[in-house]
């Protein structure tokens, strides 16, 4: 009887292990249309479409602009994604979501990759794979121009309302570095900018290129010299489902070229100009 029981335990163990192995590989490959492909890269190529989750409220990386009178999602990340898709020989399908839903969509298999100025933090790396970094931002505090001399230090914002995008690392920056301020989280960056302009919040934490773009579009706002600390995990990378080794390698080799030959910097510059022209229209 004891022997039989022992054998059963061993057998069950083998079955469970086997199931885990299969489950692991098929679930990581399930995000794209093609179920037969054995890795994400092949699945995307077979489907002919790269499904990209983003939050198009983040000029110059992803934002809405009127192009020939038509509402279009544009930006440095979008140019980068289009170039990647060209090289893979596939079309792009953009899913425009609130930022706090972007990584969830990736996790649920609704997108193949997430490209949204996403900071590759250690915490996020526990759930997702990331490519190499393609852009390193600084953290900036934006205020109304007429408050520029009032809000010139971390202490000056004590007890004041400081905004950050919901689900972004800027929420943590407010909580950690402006610990005596009151965090106000809002889903969309343009709404945060409006709240600031209307004075319902006193400051707003944004990343450098984004802060510069919105300040250029709103001459009543200014970027302060308040020193916020940046950390290594702030840099932007493309997020992938866990275990996307082939896709990750392919994207890294494309990114390497685009970074080294200055293409990414060009995309950022070009789209900063585009955002300003569009706002001026
Ligand atoms: N880099 C920040 C983060 O990952 C903010 C990104 C916001 N992106 C956007 N498209 N709104 O948390």
């Amino acid at each position: 009887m004891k022997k039989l029981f022992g054998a059963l335990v061993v057998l069950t163990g083998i079955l469970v292990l086997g199931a885990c192995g299969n489950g692991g590989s098929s679930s990581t490959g399930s995000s794209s249309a093609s179920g037969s492909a054995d890795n994400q890269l092949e699945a995307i190529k077979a489907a002919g479409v790269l499904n990209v989750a983003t939050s198009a409220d983040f000029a110059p990386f992803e934002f809405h602009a009127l192009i020939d009178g038509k509402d279009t999602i544009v930006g440095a990340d979008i140019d980068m994604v289009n170039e990647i898709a060209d090289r893979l020989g596939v079309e792009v399908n953009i899913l425009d979501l609130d930022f706090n839903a972007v990584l969830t969509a990736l996790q649920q298999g609704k997108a193949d990759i997430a490209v949204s100025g996403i900071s590759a933090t250690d915490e996020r790396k526990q759930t997702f794979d990331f490519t190499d970094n393609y852009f390193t931002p600084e953290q900036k505090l934006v205020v109304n121009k007429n408050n520029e001399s009032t809000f010139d230090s971390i202490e000056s914002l004590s007890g004041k309302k400081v905004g950050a995008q919901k689900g972004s690392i800027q929420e943590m920056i407010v909580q950690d570095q402006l610990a005596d301020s009151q965090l106000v989280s809002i889903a969309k960056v343009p709404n945060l900018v409006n709240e600031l302009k209307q004075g319902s919040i006193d400051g707003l934490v944004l990343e450098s290129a984004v802060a510069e773009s919105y300040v250029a579009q709103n001459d009543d706002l200014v970027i302060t010299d308040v020193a916020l600390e940046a950390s290594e995990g702030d840099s932007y990378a493309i997020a992938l489902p866990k275990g996307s080794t082939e896709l990750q390698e392919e994207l890294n080799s494309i990114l390497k070229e685009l970074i080294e030959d200055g293409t990414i910097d060009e995309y950022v510059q070009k789209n900063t100009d585009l955002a300003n022209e569009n706002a001026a229209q």
Side-chain angles (χ1 to χ4, degrees):
M1 189 62 198
K2 248 191 192 159
K3 249 190 192 163
L4 186 66
F5 183 70
L8 262 177
V9 169
V10 172
L11 187 67
T12 319
I14 290 169
L15 283 175
V16 168
L17 273 181
C20 282
N22 281 334
S25 62
S26 67
S27 73
T28 50
S30 67
S31 64
S32 258
S34 171
S36 58
D38 56 351
N39 71 59
Q40 281 94 343
L41 179 61
E42 293 312 319
I44 290 163
K45 285 184 175 168
V49 186
L50 179 63
N51 293 297
V52 182
T54 196
S55 174
D57 65 347
F58 201 63
F61 293 95
E62 43 268 330
F63 57 105
H64 287 259
L66 279 183
I67 307 291
D68 300 329
K70 228 181 100 199
D71 176 38
T72 313
I73 296 177
V74 294
D77 280 347
I78 308 299
D79 286 345
M80 184 177 81
V81 159
N82 284 333
E83 179 61 29
I84 289 171
D86 263 4
R87 294 190 188 200
L88 298 181
V90 299
E91 300 294 313
V92 175
N93 176 39
I94 303 272
L95 283 86
D96 184 16
L97 309 165
D98 283 352
F99 184 68
N100 65 346
V102 166
L103 286 173
T104 316
L106 182 64
Q107 200 171 10
Q108 293 171 342
K110 292 179 183 154
D112 301 305
I113 62 176
V115 186
S116 198
I118 301 175
S119 300
T121 63
D122 286 341
E123 197 191 337
R124 289 173 180 162
K125 282 182 180 165
Q126 294 182 358
T127 316
F128 303 97
D129 280 350
F130 282 90
T131 61
D132 295 334
N133 299 333
Y134 62 85
F135 187 85
T136 297
E138 287 169 38
Q139 305 298 332
K140 297 288 180 190
L141 178 80
V142 178
V143 301
N144 279 300
K145 213 172 232 171
N146 55 10
N147 283 335
E148 197 178 358
S149 53
T150 319
F151 298 136
D152 59 351
S153 65
I154 291 196
E155 298 70 46
S156 68
L157 281 147
S158 169
K160 303 289 175 193
K161 289 184 181 152
V162 179
Q165 181 166 38
K166 213 175 236 160
S168 74
I169 61 165
Q170 282 68 43
E171 287 186 319
M172 262 123 50
I173 290 174
V174 174
Q175 280 167 335
D176 295 347
Q177 301 187 39
L178 293 153
D180 294 329
S181 304
Q182 189 187 330
L183 169 66
V184 177
S185 297
I186 295 179
K188 294 273 183 197
V189 172
N191 295 344
L192 278 166
V193 171
N194 282 337
E195 296 295 315
L196 179 61
K197 286 161 76 84
Q198 286 162 14
S200 45
I201 56 177
D202 304 295
L204 168 57
V205 178
L206 283 176
E207 279 154 352
S208 42
V210 179
E212 279 154 27
S213 182
Y214 286 98
V215 166
Q217 296 172 42
N218 297 280
D219 52 17
D220 49 344
L221 301 182
V222 62
I223 300 177
T224 66
D225 300 327
V226 172
L228 295 177
E229 273 166 44
S231 60
E232 210 187 303
D234 294 0
S235 294
Y236 302 167
I238 299 176
L240 315 166
K242 267 272 183 230
S244 316
T245 317
E246 294 80 2
L247 179 60
Q248 188 184 37
E249 281 169 6
E250 179 77 15
L251 295 184
N252 277 342
S253 84
I254 298 175
L255 281 181
K256 190 166 189 278
E257 261 183 59
L258 298 181
I259 294 165
E260 282 177 2
D261 71 5
T263 303
I264 300 280
D265 289 338
E266 262 171 48
Y267 288 161
V268 174
Q269 191 50 57
K270 177 191 124 191
N271 285 284
T272 302
D273 297 344
L274 178 64
N276 293 347
E277 287 160 25
N278 222 265
Q281 269 180 17

